[in-house]
């Protein structure tokens, strides 16, 4: 069965410090993974998709098939990065997403 | 970017009544829309996949007679919670996929959510 695991419910970091959000997945096929972000009082929005191999707002994420991971990283956290982050996996051809439990990031000055 | 709206943003109803929630893609056509439920401090749980012009596909454990989904046009999907009970109180979120083709290349855009409270 497919599954997305985000082991950390809460990550508290200081401004300027590196931040890494962990995501592990279980999927029998070729995985297609995403990171979504939800800022306070805003709707969920796409942050990164692994096929694009891009850096958005300083965040990067690399798919590691050997470790079945898709960790999200940023070298220098900013206060505006405080938000809820969800790792998600596409599970069918319609684009159905399975979300992890989410990690709340709090960046303190 | 593409915008998805939901209406109403919040609703309070009495137990036993039915509530309809609308999800609209405002500036793009969405052949596929998704309905999620989110409990406080929890993740999104997919309820069903809604395809324009066909019956919705429900996730295991989701009662299709309880949560009626209609995707009558390329820009509108509705979720009707029938005979609502207090345990149906939740945050309901829809998303719409822009375009056709490989799902991973087509971003899903999320609505702002609808807070349902059943008294």
């Amino acid at each position: 069965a497919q599954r997305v695991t985000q082991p950390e419910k809460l990550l508290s970091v200081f401004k300027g410090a590196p931040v890494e959000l962990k995501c592990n997945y279980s999927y029998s096929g070729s995985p297609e993974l995403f990171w979504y972000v939800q800022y306070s009082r805003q709707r969920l929005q796409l942050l990164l998709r692994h096929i694009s191999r891009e850096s958005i707002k300083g965040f990067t994420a690399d798919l590691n098939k050997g470790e079945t991971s898709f960790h999200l990283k940023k070298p220098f956290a900013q206060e505006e990065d405080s938000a809820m982050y969800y790792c998600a996996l596409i599970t069918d051809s319609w684009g159905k997403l399975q979300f992890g439990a989410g990690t709340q990031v709090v960046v303190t000055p | 970017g593409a915008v998805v709206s939901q209406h109403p943003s919040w609703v309070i109803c009495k137990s036993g009544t039915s509530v309809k929630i609308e999800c609209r893609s405002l500036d793009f056509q969405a052949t596929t829309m998704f309905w999620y439920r989110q409990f406080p401090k929890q993740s999104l749980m997919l309820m069903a996949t809604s395809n324009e012009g066909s019956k919705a596909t429900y996730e295991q454990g989701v009662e299709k007679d309880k949560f009626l989904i209609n995707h009558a046009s390329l820009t509108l999907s509705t979720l009707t919670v029938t005979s609502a009970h207090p345990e149906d109180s939740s945050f309901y979120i829809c998303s719409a996929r822009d375009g056709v083709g490989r799902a991973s290349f087509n971003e899903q855009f999320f609505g702002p959510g609808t807070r349902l409270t059943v008294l």
Side-chain angles (χ1 to χ4, degrees), chain A residues 6 9 30-34 36 38 42-47 49-52 84 86-87 90-102, chain B residues 2-5 31-32 34 36 38 41-46 49 51 57 59 91 93 97 101-113:
Chain A
Q6 292 180 250
K9 279 192 171 180
S30 183
E32 303 196 44
L33 289 141
F34 302 78
Y36 281 84
Q38 188 169 30
Q42 293 187 30
R43 68 188 68 194
L44 203 64
Q45 56 186 280
L46 178 66
L47 180 63
R49 65 186 96 190
H50 92 269
I51 56 171
S52 301
M84 191 73 171
Y86 293 97
C87 184
I90 277 192
T91 58
D92 73 0
S93 58
W94 294 108
K96 191 164 66 173
L97 286 169
Q98 180 159 346
F99 286 89
Chain B
V3 179
V4 174
S5 70
T31 54
T32 305
F34 302 90
Y36 298 85
Q38 187 177 34
K41 299 189 186 298
Q42 293 190 27
S43 187
L44 285 78
M45 183 191 77
L46 180 67
T49 302
N51 290 302
T57 304
E59 294 301 298
F91 196 55
I93 302 171
R97 189 163 77 85
R102 187 172 170 186
S104 57
F105 290 116
N106 303 118
E107 184 174 342
Q108 274 190 42
F109 298 94
F110 285 80

Side-chain angles (χ1 to χ4, degrees), chain B residues 11 88 113:
Chain B
V11 56
D88 299 324

Side-chain angles (χ1 to χ4, degrees), chain B:
Chain B
V3 179
V4 174
S5 70
Q6 278 184 246
H7 178 79
S9 55
W10 59 271
V11 56
I12 301 173
C13 69
K14 291 182 178 180
S15 187
T17 60
S18 295
V19 174
K20 181 186 283 189
I21 302 170
E22 293 185 349
C23 176
R24 290 182 186 273
S25 56
L26 296 186
D27 49 5
F28 66 99
Q29 293 185 331
T31 54
T32 305
M33 291 182 171
F34 302 90
W35 286 96
Y36 298 85
R37 187 171 178 176
Q38 187 177 34
F39 291 103
K41 299 189 186 298
Q42 293 190 27
S43 187
L44 285 78
M45 183 191 77
L46 180 67
M47 298 175 66
T49 302
S50 169
N51 290 302
E52 186 266 338
S54 64
K55 290 185 179 181
T57 304
Y58 291 81
E59 294 301 298
Q60 192 172 9
V62 178
E63 299 175 60
K64 58 182 179 183
D65 295 328
K66 172 76 169 172
F67 299 100
L68 299 178
I69 291 172
N70 186 296
H71 194 155
S73 77
L74 287 171
T75 59
L76 173 65
S77 177
T78 60
L79 168 68
T80 302
V81 183
T82 62
S83 186
H85 290 283
E87 57 266 30
D88 299 324
S89 297
S90 191
F91 196 55
Y92 292 88
I93 302 171
C94 74
S95 71
R97 189 163 77 85
D98 179 7
V100 296
R102 187 172 170 186
S104 57
F105 290 116
N106 303 118
E107 184 174 342
Q108 274 190 42
F109 298 94
F110 285 80
T114 297
R115 173 77 57 197
L116 170 63
T117 302
V118 185
L119 301 176

